[in-house]
Amino acid sequence: MKEYQLFIDGKWTAGAEDRWIEVENPATKEIIGKVPRGNAEDVDRAVAAARAAAESWAAKAPHERSEFLRKLSEVIEKRKDEFCTTISSELGIPLKYAFDYHVSGAIREAKYFADMCENFEYEQKTDCGMIRREPFGVVAGITPWNYPLDQATFKLFAAMAAGNTVVLKPSQNAPLCCCILAEAIEEAGFPNGVFNLVTGAGGEVGNAIALHEGIDALSFTGSTSGGIEVGKLALSTVKKITLELGGKSPLVVLEGADLEAAVADACSSAFMNTGQTCCAYTRMLIPESKKDEIEALLKAEAEKYITGDPLDPETEVGPLISEKAFNKVKGYIEKGIAENARLIAGGVPENCDKGYYVNPTIFSDVSNDMTIAREEIFGPVLAVIPYKTEEEALAIANDTNYGLYGAVYGEPAAALEFAKKIKAGGVHVNGAGGGVDMPFGGYKQSGIGREGGTFGFEDFLEIKALCY
Ligand code: NAD
């Protein structure tokens, strides 16, 4: 069993109280590690260290900060197997996907923000003088468990590259990979206090961070309800806030679409990471006229998703993160049946005696007012919603409190026009890929602000009008 401490001011240090959080392997229910259950005093120490390091870190030339990030990308690359096995065992992701879905992002982001840091124009001349971008000072990150490494690195590498020092509170469900990240940062030789890690519960460490006067900006990724609570607390000291929250994203199939490609994308998006993906396409909108054909394709596709042991190379879908998540997802599947949606794959899981497994589940004949079409299930459950006209499809796609992501399949020009009308922070047309240079974030209750690309970097810089 791995046991970690807090990482504050470049040193591994005990929590203020002798309380611990045990980390469970969701495939075996075995306790695989423990981390301190930090408190407000630990947050104070971490913020003091970050504050003390802020001035000298911000004063470094951009190329010097870039060098630290490049070195860090090398250390993560060197330790990638350790990251992969840790993430697989604390999250349940099949080991064969741990690098592509989780670890590769951290390496890419370190390199990307190293380049951004070096090439960004921090000063722009204007007729009155200049617009200058300056780091905030101390930035905190509060992150979820579903992409436990990448959600931390996406924000914090940008924040550090921009010249801020940081305090990270990872999720209590999967904190171990962030402890290895702290080791990697130590190995890469970052100055003390630039990166600080405080593990603990949301209501304790998270709240202490949100309320702390010594933190200038807070970037939160998690549920919409958590984001609202944290946001309210953070505003008490008028922190700059970025919120990356939940989603209920549509994948819209138009007439003329490549149905096989659309079905493959819908299943991959809804089932990968056991459906625990904020931007998953969990509502598939299909023309009524193509229902039989698409349902047959979906049934055949779902059979390819073998659920089981994350260490088995055959496995496509591992367990859910916890018993709480298992009961929640089971409840949604029961609710779908009770609301008369029609099961075409999967169904209610029997029990979780041998791990928190739920087979990929597809409901058809879903209407957009059913609970399974409105709420974020966060499990491998796809809701298929037939529509009669494209106007109706657009109304359904946008009839949600969320607005994180979306996809459209159809004739390229028509699909692109449709994509422009979807109220979401990112929409992919006919399976086109994205990249770290594209902004990521949500409309409506999916969030405030953006990560990734220039937008995600600028989000960690204050804007000064310097007139002279
Ligand atoms: P969560 O909101 O329960 O927790 C997220 C983090 O916030 C954790 O570190 C938690 O300890 C902390 N936290 C929770 N409530 C808090 C509070 N009241 N005060 C302070 N801190 C608090 O979310 P989760 O279950 O860890 O993650 C799943 C959610 O995250 C899903 O809704 C998913 O859609 C969302 N998510 C969004 C994105 C995105 O980029 N938009 C990415 C990944 C996950």
Side-chain angles (χ1 to χ4, degrees), residues 327-342 348 363 369-373 375 377:
N327 288 328
K328 183 176 157 212
V329 172
K330 181 169 183 257
Y332 274 117
I333 297 173
E334 288 165 345
K335 186 88 179 168
I337 294 167
E339 290 186 340
N340 289 327
R342 185 166 50 85
V348 181
F363 283 103
D369 56 359
M370 289 181 187
T371 309
I372 56 168
E375 296 181 12
I377 297 173

Side-chain angles (χ1 to χ4, degrees), residues 31-45:
I31 300 302
I32 52 167
K34 63 178 193 172
V35 296
R37 185 171 178 139
N39 66 13
E41 199 181 319
D42 297 315
V43 173
D44 278 344
R45 285 194 292 143

Side-chain angles (χ1 to χ4, degrees), residues 137-409:
V138 178
V139 170
I142 298 181
T143 53
W145 49 263
N146 63 326
Y147 288 85
L149 179 65
D150 179 63
Q151 291 302 327
T153 57
F154 205 22
K155 54 175 88 267
L156 296 186
F157 288 178
M160 292 193 292
N164 302 283
T165 56
V166 303
V167 176
L168 168 65
K169 189 210 99 58
S171 167
Q172 56 275 38
N173 287 328
L176 300 179
C177 60
C178 286
C179 297
I180 304 177
L181 175 66
E183 288 179 349
I185 286 172
E186 189 181 20
E187 191 177 336
F190 277 67
N192 292 349
V194 172
F195 174 91
N196 303 277
L197 173 76
V198 184
T199 49
E204 293 172 288
V205 173
N207 282 6
I209 284 175
L211 286 167
H212 207 289
E213 288 196 343
I215 293 172
D216 303 296
L218 171 59
S219 179
F220 173 94
T221 302
S223 60
T224 294
S225 57
I228 291 170
E229 275 187 55
V230 166
K232 282 182 191 163
L233 298 179
L235 273 180
S236 64
T237 61
V238 197
K239 288 181 186 63
K240 167 81 190 305
I241 317 172
T242 305
L243 299 176
E244 298 285 347
L245 309 176
K248 193 75 193 175
S249 302
L251 180 149
V252 183
V253 180
L254 301 176
E255 293 290 347
D258 177 340
L259 298 186
E260 285 183 12
V263 162
D265 195 5
C267 289
S268 158
S269 172
F271 304 151
M272 79 167 194
N273 219 39
T274 322
Q276 303 165 126
T277 301
C278 54
C279 55
Y281 310 136
T282 47
R283 294 182 298 145
M284 184 179 192
L285 279 50
I286 62 166
E288 182 85 52
S289 59
K290 298 267 193 301
K291 192 165 91 172
D292 292 348
E293 198 180 341
I294 292 174
E295 282 187 5
L297 288 169
L298 280 167
K299 278 186 206 171
E301 188 69 16
E303 281 172 13
K304 297 180 190 164
Y305 284 82
I306 299 163
T307 306
D309 178 359
L311 299 179
D312 184 337
E314 297 281 298
T315 296
E316 293 292 320
V317 180
L320 291 163
I321 183 74
S322 64
E323 183 165 5
K324 187 173 162 204
F326 176 88
N327 288 328
K328 183 176 157 212
V329 172
K330 181 169 183 257
Y332 274 117
I333 297 173
E334 288 165 345
K335 186 88 179 168
I337 294 167
E339 290 186 340
N340 289 327
R342 185 166 50 85
L343 267 178
I344 62 169
V348 181
E350 280 179 14
N351 60 58
C352 58
D353 296 348
K354 296 197 174 116
Y356 309 118
Y357 293 102
V358 174
N359 282 321
T361 295
I362 305 178
F363 283 103
S364 190
D365 289 333
V366 175
S367 73
N368 205 47
D369 56 359
M370 289 181 187
T371 309
I372 56 168
R374 303 215 71 81
E375 296 181 12
E376 191 181 42
I377 297 173
F378 233 52
V381 181
L382 176 65
V384 179
I385 308 175
Y387 69 83
K388 290 195 175 63
T389 64
E390 283 193 11
E391 291 70 31
E392 188 191 358
L394 183 63
I396 294 171
N398 287 331
D399 177 18
T400 166
N401 291 335
Y402 295 109
L404 189 57
Y405 235 53
V408 186
Y409 279 81

Side-chain angles (χ1 to χ4, degrees), residues 32-98:
I32 52 167
K34 63 178 193 172
V35 296
R37 185 171 178 139
N39 66 13
E41 199 181 319
D42 297 315
V43 173
D44 278 344
R45 285 194 292 143
V47 174
R51 179 61 59 202
E55 203 174 312
S56 59
W57 182 246
K60 286 199 185 304
H63 75 86
E64 291 179 279
R65 291 201 299 270
S66 293
E67 277 316 303
F68 285 108
L69 281 157
R70 290 208 178 91
K71 175 75 182 144
L72 178 56
S73 75
E74 288 164 18
V75 177
I76 299 173
E77 175 90 48
K78 186 186 77 178
R79 297 180 68 169
K80 64 178 187 293
D81 292 345
E82 194 184 350
F83 275 110
C84 287
T85 49
T86 300
I87 293 173
S88 177
S89 61
E90 65 182 337
L91 177 65
I93 180 86
L95 183 59
K96 68 180 180 187
Y97 291 131

